[in-house]
Amino acid sequence: MITTLDRVSTILRQQAPEVEVTEIVPEHRIQDLGIDSLTFVDILLKIEKDFAVEFSDDELAAVESVQDILDLVAQKA
């Protein structure tokens, strides 16, 4: 069974191939993964599309970690 973390990890790797960690975990901070702000916006847009959800600007501004993304998806699904 594919989890939300698996799906988000796949999107992160597709949109930001420079991420060098072998496994993306909820505790990873976005900045620690080496993702710049423009790429991060692309990632969030792809997540919105793939999960058929919409995030507000305030919600997006609060995202700092992979767990924050997972929480947002869970709230919207």
Side-chain angles (χ1 to χ4, degrees), residues 55-67:
F55 304 130
S56 72
D57 290 342
D58 290 339
E59 290 170 326
L60 296 178
V63 172
E64 294 183 2
S65 68
V66 174
Q67 184 63 55

Side-chain angles (χ1 to χ4, degrees), residues 11-13 15-19 24 29-41 43 66 69:
I11 293 168
L12 285 166
R13 290 194 186 285
Q15 301 297 116
E18 68 275 4
V19 172
I24 295 174
R29 294 177 47 84
I30 300 304
Q31 67 185 15
D32 294 341
L33 292 173
I35 297 171
D36 64 39
S37 58
L38 185 57
T39 302
F40 184 57
V41 170
I43 289 167
V66 174
I69 295 171

Side-chain angles (χ1 to χ4, degrees), residues 4-23:
T4 301
L5 177 59
D6 293 334
R7 290 173 67 188
V8 168
S9 294
T10 298
I11 293 168
L12 285 166
R13 290 194 186 285
Q14 288 172 343
Q15 301 297 116
E18 68 275 4
V19 172
E20 295 183 5
V21 296
T22 56
E23 181 181 2

